[in-house]
Amino acid sequence: MISTSINSIWFYVSLFEIGIILFVIWFGKKNGKKDINLDLLSKVIEEAKDTKINFDELVTSIHKSKKLYNELKTKYHPDRFINTNKYEKSLEIFQEITKNKTNYSELIRLQELAKNI
């Protein structure tokens, strides 16, 4: 007797869930989808096709930059220059190093700039 009443409760719970799902589907169709500006979308797609990206250089740059970034962040960390007149310069360079941690060519430029510290 008890198992029959539990089964009937779960039956009504599942019917209620199906009702909610159907309501959500109906409500979504009623409101419709927002219109997509196809001209803008096609323009963006064409611009993306026209860009020339060398992915080999990009991946190589990212992998090389990890090692260089780790080297520069420890060598020019501002905490190494606390109580010296080089603190402000090292703080500025360290912030640039942190911003450009995946840009290998910029890290090379910052390494040359930081040699003057």
Side-chain angles (χ1 to χ4, degrees):
M1 183 74 178
I2 294 177
S3 65
T4 306
S5 65
I6 291 175
N7 287 340
S8 63
I9 290 173
W10 286 114
F11 174 75
Y12 290 114
V13 168
S14 64
L15 282 178
F16 180 71
E17 289 177 347
I18 291 172
I20 290 174
I21 292 170
L22 291 174
F23 174 76
V24 168
I25 292 171
W26 172 78
F27 188 74
K29 287 186 178 182
K30 179 181 171 189
N31 288 338
K33 294 183 178 179
K34 304 285 184 219
D35 291 333
I36 298 173
N37 187 349
L38 295 178
D39 294 332
L40 179 63
L41 183 62
S42 63
K43 181 180 175 184
V44 168
I45 290 172
E46 287 302 317
E47 287 176 4
K49 287 180 182 177
D50 291 340
T51 58
K52 304 236 184 288
I53 298 174
N54 188 342
F55 287 102
D56 290 335
E57 287 182 14
L58 180 68
V59 171
T60 303
S61 174
I62 291 171
H63 288 295
K64 285 183 178 179
S65 66
K66 286 180 185 180
K67 183 179 177 184
L68 184 58
Y69 169 72
N70 288 331
E71 177 186 325
L72 292 175
K73 78 176 181 182
T74 55
K75 192 172 184 179
Y76 299 108
H77 197 279
D79 289 348
R80 295 187 67 212
F81 300 99
I82 290 179
N83 300 330
T84 65
N85 55 358
K86 300 176 182 179
Y87 179 78
E88 291 297 323
K89 187 70 172 168
S90 68
L91 181 62
E92 179 183 320
I93 290 175
F94 184 75
Q95 289 173 348
E96 287 296 316
I97 289 169
T98 305
K99 284 181 194 174
N100 296 296
K101 64 181 172 181
T102 58
N103 187 346
Y104 185 71
S105 59
E106 187 66 22
L107 287 175
I108 292 290
R109 186 189 69 79
L110 289 169
Q111 185 181 30
E112 293 298 320
L113 181 67
K115 284 182 180 178
N116 297 330
I117 291 184

